[in-house]
Amino acid sequence: VRDQASSRYAVEIQNILDLNIKGPCLDCLKCTFTGVCVYVDGLRALYDEKILPADAIVFAGTIVDRYISSTWKKFLDRSFYHGHRPILNGKYAAMIFSG
């Protein structure tokens, strides 16, 4: 998706509610050795196909009752599988939450 009015670059919007996220982090820690989550689902595909090749990433969401949604919590917890690997190194990244 490209929004000519606000950016001269290609912009793609991905709603995490549309992802097939199989479940929460299992705390199995297998990813600490391999860098790969045991789940094969939409979250892993999002990272591999969209986030890793992107030049810039903006995470945006809302806060309800003083916390992010359960879907965002699951997304952030499952993102741990990259552990301490600098996957966003060299990318512009921002988080915007309102509420």
Side-chain angles (χ1 to χ4, degrees):
V1 177
R2 185 177 180 155
D3 182 353
Q4 293 286 344
S6 63
S7 177
R8 62 182 175 176
Y9 301 103
V11 175
E12 186 171 338
I13 298 171
Q14 174 67 57
N15 188 335
I16 62 171
L17 293 174
D18 296 337
L19 295 176
N20 175 23
I21 301 176
K22 288 190 176 178
C25 180
L26 299 172
D27 295 326
C28 66
L29 298 178
K30 292 180 182 177
C31 61
T32 58
F33 302 106
T34 63
V36 178
C37 182
V38 295
Y39 286 117
V40 179
D41 61 3
L43 179 64
R44 192 161 140 191
L46 175 70
Y47 265 93
D48 294 345
E49 298 167 14
K50 305 293 181 184
I51 293 177
L52 294 178
D55 296 320
I57 302 126
V58 176
F59 299 100
T62 58
I63 296 174
V64 178
D65 294 330
R66 293 177 272 164
Y67 201 70
I68 58 177
S69 71
S70 60
T71 305
W72 265 111
K73 173 80 166 98
K74 192 175 358 178
F75 175 86
L76 293 172
D77 287 352
R78 287 275 311 282
S79 298
F80 173 77
Y81 81 91
H82 288 290
H84 298 286
R85 294 168 184 85
I87 64 162
L88 299 181
N89 192 26
K91 298 180 188 299
Y92 292 101
M95 294 188 105
I96 302 169
F97 285 88
S98 68

